[in-house]
Amino acid sequence: MKLIIISNRLPLKIVEENNKYKVIPSPGGLSTGLDSLKTKVDKHWIGWPGMYLDNCKEKEAIDKQLAEQKYTPVYLTPDQIENYYEGYSNSVLWPLCHYFSNYIEYGNEYWEAYKEVNALFCEATLKIIEPGDIVWVQDYQLMLLPKMLRDKMPDISIGYFHHIPFPSYELFRSLPERGELLKGLLGADLVAFHTHSYMRHFISAVYRVLKLDCNLDEIQLNDRVVDVDAFPMGINYDMYHDALLNPDIKKKSAELRKSFGKAKLMLSVDRLDYSKGIPIRLHGFQSFLENNPQYREKVSLVMIVAPSRDSVDIYAGLKNEIDKLVGAINGKYATIDWTPVYYFYHPFQFEELAALYQISDIALVTPLRDGMNLVAKEYVATKREQSGVLILSEMAGASIELSDALIVNPTDIHEIENAMVEALKMPVEKQMKRLNAMQEIVSTQNVKQWATDFIEELKEVREKNNTLAGKIVVKSNFDTIKKDYDKSQKRLIILDYDGTLAPFQAKPEDAFPTKELLELLSRLAQDSGNSVVISSGRDRHTLDKWLGSLPIGLAAEHGAFYKEGGKWHSKISEIEWDKEIIDIMEHTVKRTPRSKIEIKDTALVWHYRNVDAWLADLRVTQLINALINPCSRQNLQIMKGNKIVEVKYNDITKGSEAVRLVNQDDYDFIMAIGDDTTDEDMFLALPEDAITIKVGRNSSVSKYNIPTQSQTLNFLNKLVN
Ligand code: GDG
């Protein structure tokens, strides 16, 4: 078994030395985490190697080196980089997910290139993947890939991790490709985020855009489930915490401390990005110096900005703005002995970065939006018996775990300024106490734990999906059912109607049987060994009108009425519905557009198929709460079915009707097919050797599953042939 990690970039650098290219691994957090996974697996990595190699004679040699290190390259052309990476990924998805919708730029070629490159990644994966492998897709550049892979390899284990925020539905819905992106992700068994809010936003988008059923953290597709979960990414804690044990880093930090003079240090480290809130942070520092003159010459801000995407206009503009602000602050406040802002627009070596974390009195992490933010965790981890205060934006995913930081609203300059003052005044013991509490979390929830937890859960979901997949009627288990059918003499076949024999319609009265269905049912009934019964929640008048001419049994209103020998029988005496219950239901209908009430002889049904999903959830809870007392007083049952809430008599279910039917004869073949929770009552009530088939969403209580309603008819056709 292999673990195949797929990310936009391979974690390596290709460097040129004496006219020869060399592949050098440059492991980030993710590769470290995977290296220390508890279960040892063979790891392969697929991604863009970071350079164009079209006309390069060294390509073969590089490919060889990559293959030796188990890297599969996906080479991208400059056009693909422009349209897929800088275009759709970084000029559409990145601003959208960080709530900068005004920065979205749409290029004509972007979406096509995004699809094309996701397909290239799929092709590359298919070349190395084998049954039983685990695929872990990383991040927003590859949101279509899980589905592309699933379509080709239905049984493979696929996980997806989204490293950036997932925006609220209200924002996400504005994206023209919203449906395709969500469907792309649902190709995975497990879709994961850093925090529960991103997870909630994703589920709400799936619910509303794709109108799929979600059961808390589980999205139910017809043939399998997709788990959604939050796994806050951690860091390689030991690497940071032990940095100071390295004599070189220790020396470096002493030197750096000396070179900054006596001033206390505030540190910020980011990639150049508008989501990181760098200009507002500078305004906060300026305001701090302006309003707290006592701290001038006593505190400096060390600001590292790692160059990123600066060929894109918005980033170049941001860089200019930062340059100007730093110039303005230094110009105004600097003295001969003191520089207010030390600004570096280039990356630092790990050793220098660790030394800076070590000597900084305050870390200023104030992104406007950030999926997680690892810098905050790295700062906390690097401290070894030194004090330090973390000022952290409430908009960073890390703020959920690091509640002992000074949490600020990053758009509130005064809050940032006040936090700076509070941090500078904070007694050392209090700083240590807070740091220790945060270290406890960062050291436990480290990147190794993160990767292990993700893979463990992915395996569990795959197992669950394998079990569900094993129930789907395919050739082999169909042959077994057919064999039993053919060799039996006395068969009982109980069929649900809506969602099983007929597709759901917006208006229930439109679901009348087609000619084909009527023919199929009469063919089924023609066999003298077959007793065919339609068991439905519908009223007897409709069933009689639609199916009454066929030589089959009918059971209406979940078995409260049944037709045998051409006559209807009733299991109950006349019911007069309680006014209080009807009033509650009618009140719900008034307040819920597109819902309606159906009054049957044995049940009151509130239908909400066409109601907005969120409102429906709210009303279902409110309605059930309101019904509990009057229904329990009258010994009535409240039941939640497929987009309905139903009040009915306790002892009448499709289960009790199934038992009645079974007891009528000595059957050697019993089969029940249905799509709803009410049909599960009959699956449970039938003898153990009965063939029970759930249509649509798979179920734990049926033996088999037929994923879609139309397939049910094919199944029955093949069975009688
Ligand atoms: C995305 C999400 C999420 C920065 N400058 C230097 C340097 N760095 C290192 C830091 C840190 C990493 O880069 C930055 O990670 P962040 O998490 O802060 O942010 P993004 O790059 O935006 O990452 C983010 C992350 O994915 C993981 O899921 O947390 O929210 O946006 O490790 O140390 N490293 C060195 N020199 C530098 O100058 N050596």
Side-chain angles (χ1 to χ4, degrees):
M1 179 190 83
K2 301 193 286 297
L3 170 62
I4 303 175
I5 304 119
I6 313 177
S7 61
N8 172 59
R9 272 287 262 127
L10 286 172
L12 52 82
K13 279 191 292 220
I14 300 181
V15 292
E16 198 187 335
E17 263 173 29
N18 310 324
N19 279 334
K20 279 216 151 83
Y21 287 106
K22 218 171 144 192
V23 173
I24 300 179
S26 85
L30 178 60
S31 32
T32 333
L34 294 167
D35 280 342
S36 41
L37 274 181
K38 276 183 198 144
T39 20
K40 287 278 161 252
V41 283
D42 187 16
K43 285 182 286 293
H44 286 245
W45 205 304
I46 299 178
W48 184 51
M51 67 186 306
Y52 320 116
L53 278 175
D54 245 11
N55 299 316
C56 168
K57 53 182 186 317
E58 293 279 347
K59 185 167 180 287
E60 218 171 282
I62 293 179
D63 279 351
K64 191 164 166 257
Q65 288 185 52
L66 289 171
E68 278 163 12
Q69 298 180 43
K70 296 187 178 160
Y71 292 130
T72 300
V74 177
Y75 291 111
L76 301 177
T77 64
D79 270 359
Q80 284 167 336
I81 288 293
E82 187 184 322
N83 292 310
Y84 140 81
Y85 181 66
E86 285 163 7
Y88 199 77
S89 301
N90 287 341
S91 303
V92 178
L93 290 176
W94 177 274
L96 181 90
C97 289
H98 288 87
Y99 292 78
F100 284 90
S101 49
N102 49 330
Y103 285 2
I104 293 179
E105 279 175 21
Y106 245 96
N108 288 337
E109 315 289 320
Y110 289 2
W111 175 241
E112 285 309 312
Y114 188 80
K115 285 194 285 188
E116 178 184 304
V117 172
N118 273 255
L120 282 182
F121 274 81
C122 179
E123 242 174 69
T125 313
L126 293 175
K127 279 188 191 145
I128 62 163
I129 201 165
E130 291 163 298
D133 286 352
I134 297 179
V135 180
W136 190 359
V137 180
Q138 307 289 330
D139 228 358
Y140 65 103
Q141 299 92 351
L142 299 171
M143 291 169 83
L144 301 178
L145 183 57
K147 177 172 187 311
M148 290 177 171
L149 288 169
R150 175 74 58 209
D151 288 346
K152 298 281 178 192
M153 299 204 65
D155 303 333
I156 210 84
S157 178
I158 306 173
Y160 171 87
F161 193 86
H162 195 75
H163 288 261
I164 62 176
F166 196 93
S168 93
Y169 159 72
E170 285 301 340
L171 196 56
F172 189 75
R173 69 190 297 196
S174 64
L175 199 62
E177 300 81 18
R178 59 202 183 171
E180 279 112 312
L181 290 170
L182 293 174
K183 283 184 202 154
L185 291 184
L186 294 183
D189 293 301
L190 173 62
V191 177
F193 302 89
H194 285 300
T195 72
H196 288 104
S197 347
Y198 309 151
M199 171 182 163
R200 188 165 56 80
H201 290 156
F202 171 71
I203 291 177
S204 135
V206 168
Y207 197 42
R208 287 159 167 262
V209 176
L210 302 181
K211 313 239 176 321
L212 288 173
D213 282 334
C214 307
N215 181 8
L216 296 175
D217 56 355
E218 194 179 84
I219 296 167
Q220 280 146 351
L221 307 181
N222 274 347
D223 52 347
R224 61 193 175 85
V225 297
V226 179
D227 262 25
V228 184
D229 210 343
F231 297 91
M233 187 174 176
I235 57 164
N236 181 348
Y237 183 83
D238 294 342
M239 185 172 93
Y240 286 90
H241 197 58
D242 295 345
L244 254 267
L245 302 179
N246 174 337
D248 291 342
I249 299 181
K250 198 166 181 177
K251 192 164 150 241
K252 184 95 211 156
S253 72
E255 281 167 12
L256 279 174
R257 184 54 277 185
K258 215 166 146 202
S259 62
F260 284 118
K262 286 201 184 106
K264 290 213 168 205
L265 297 181
M266 293 189 194
L267 175 70
S268 78
V269 181
D270 316 87
R271 269 185 319 96
L272 178 73
D273 201 282
Y274 44 82
S275 65
K276 303 289 180 184
I278 303 171
I280 296 194
R281 185 185 309 155
L282 283 166
H283 282 297
F285 187 63
Q286 184 175 32
S287 175
F288 160 77
L289 293 179
E290 189 57 38
N291 298 331
N292 301 278
Q294 71 279 20
Y295 284 118
R296 293 183 201 161
E297 303 196 49
K298 304 239 168 45
V299 180
S300 289
L301 170 62
V302 178
M303 201 168 79
I304 299 173
V305 179
S308 163
R309 308 173 194 171
D310 51 6
S311 58
V312 178
D313 282 354
I314 293 164
Y315 287 78
L318 174 67
K319 162 86 169 39
N320 272 339
E321 190 184 355
I322 296 170
D323 290 355
K324 274 195 202 147
L325 272 170
V326 172
I329 297 172
N330 281 347
K332 183 166 180 189
Y333 299 103
T335 63
I336 301 288
D337 307 317
W338 172 63
T339 305
V341 185
Y342 292 93
Y343 166 42
F344 306 92
Y345 185 63
H346 57 79
F348 277 50
Q349 297 293 331
F350 166 74
E351 292 72 18
E352 293 170 314
L353 191 66
L356 277 170
Y357 282 147
Q358 174 66 18
I359 63 170
S360 297
D361 301 278
I362 295 168
L364 209 48
V365 183
T366 57
L368 298 174
R369 291 280 166 179
D370 214 335
M372 171 52 70
N373 194 294
L374 299 179
V375 169
K377 295 187 170 181
E378 291 163 6
Y379 176 72
V380 165
T382 310
K383 291 288 176 188
R384 259 192 113 90
E385 289 161 28
Q386 279 101 0
S387 56
V389 181
L390 172 64
I391 296 178
L392 180 58
S393 161
E394 65 184 44
M395 301 295 185
S399 68
I400 310 278
E401 292 163 282
L402 303 180
S403 54
D404 278 293
L406 292 181
I407 304 288
V408 292
N409 174 349
T411 54
D412 185 338
I413 290 172
H414 297 295
E415 218 176 293
I416 297 180
E417 176 193 331
N418 292 339
M420 289 174 178
V421 175
E422 189 183 343
L424 288 162
K425 286 185 175 163
M426 192 183 283
V428 169
E429 309 80 71
K430 193 167 172 187
Q431 294 185 30
M432 295 306 293
K433 205 170 152 208
R434 285 172 170 242
L435 267 179
N436 288 341
M438 290 192 281
Q439 284 183 336
E440 178 76 31
I441 294 163
V442 180
S443 60
T444 326
Q445 291 306 315
N446 55 28
V447 68
K448 171 181 166 185
Q449 195 59 47
W450 172 77
T452 307
D453 289 348
F454 183 94
I455 297 292
E456 290 297 306
E457 185 163 328
L458 177 56
K459 283 186 186 158
E460 279 169 27
V461 194
R462 179 68 341 233
E463 264 170 41
K464 189 160 56 175
N465 278 333
N466 283 343
T467 312
L468 292 178
K471 293 185 173 200
I472 296 177
V473 176
V474 289
K475 183 159 184 336
S476 54
N477 47 19
F478 173 79
D479 288 348
T480 319
I481 299 172
K482 172 85 175 140
K483 224 159 114 200
D484 288 351
Y485 178 89
D486 288 342
K487 74 168 192 241
S488 52
Q489 313 285 316
K490 265 196 176 176
R491 310 181 194 99
L492 173 63
I493 300 171
I494 313 175
L495 304 168
D496 165 54
Y497 185 77
D498 292 274
T500 300
L501 296 177
F504 279 109
Q505 305 286 352
K507 290 186 190 152
E509 60 271 26
D510 291 342
F512 47 81
T514 58
K515 212 170 131 234
E516 290 74 29
L517 174 60
L518 292 173
E519 268 169 22
L520 168 67
L521 290 174
S522 57
R523 241 184 318 131
L524 202 58
Q526 258 164 28
D527 187 323
S528 58
N530 287 351
S531 296
V532 181
V533 179
I534 305 290
S535 180
S536 166
R538 281 194 183 256
D539 66 82
R540 61 198 142 135
H541 311 293
T542 309
L543 289 185
D544 224 4
K545 190 165 85 191
W546 287 354
L547 305 162
S549 59
L550 297 170
I552 57 176
L554 298 175
E557 302 197 21
H558 301 121
F561 302 96
Y562 58 93
K563 190 180 182 188
E564 264 175 13
K567 265 177 120 190
W568 281 98
H569 306 267
S570 170
K571 285 189 201 149
I572 48 155
S573 48
E574 193 103 331
I575 295 170
E576 200 173 322
W577 287 106
D578 182 74
K579 185 164 178 322
E580 187 185 353
I581 296 177
I582 294 192
D583 283 351
I584 292 170
M585 284 210 165
E586 280 177 346
H587 183 60
T588 306
V589 171
K590 266 193 214 136
R591 295 160 66 221
T592 318
R594 303 186 189 181
S595 75
K596 63 177 203 174
I597 175 174
E598 183 190 358
I599 303 179
K600 299 201 274 193
D601 287 339
T602 61
L604 286 173
V605 192
W606 180 62
H607 291 266
Y608 61 89
R609 174 160 302 279
N610 301 317
V611 175
D612 169 84
W614 180 87
L615 182 63
D617 266 0
L618 176 74
R619 291 290 186 255
V620 166
T621 314
Q622 289 172 331
L623 177 62
I624 292 177
N625 284 344
L627 288 172
I628 286 173
N629 278 336
C631 287
S632 61
R633 276 200 306 270
Q634 295 178 50
N635 198 23
L636 292 169
Q637 186 191 3
I638 309 167
M639 200 204 64
K640 224 178 132 227
N642 192 350
K643 310 285 182 198
I644 56 161
V645 173
E646 181 157 354
V647 171
K648 58 179 193 163
Y649 279 84
N650 252 333
D651 44 358
I652 295 173
T653 67
K654 282 192 179 182
S656 54
E657 174 60 8
V659 171
R660 190 189 69 81
L661 290 167
V662 168
N663 289 339
Q664 282 183 328
D665 212 332
D666 197 7
Y667 295 107
D668 56 357
F669 178 95
I670 299 173
M671 179 173 78
I673 311 182
D675 72 306
D676 199 357
T677 37
T678 52
D679 299 310
E680 295 185 353
D681 287 340
M682 67 177 169
F683 300 157
L684 290 168
L686 288 173
E688 231 174 68
D689 57 354
I691 292 165
T692 52
I693 308 180
K694 179 84 195 304
V695 178
R697 193 199 309 154
N698 218 323
S699 148
S700 57
V701 300
S702 72
K703 260 192 208 144
Y704 297 101
N705 168 255
I706 295 181
T708 62
Q709 181 272 325
S710 58
Q711 287 170 301
T712 314
L713 302 189
N714 294 342
F715 168 84
L716 288 171
N717 265 313
K718 272 167 63 190
L719 198 67
V720 281
N721 274 342

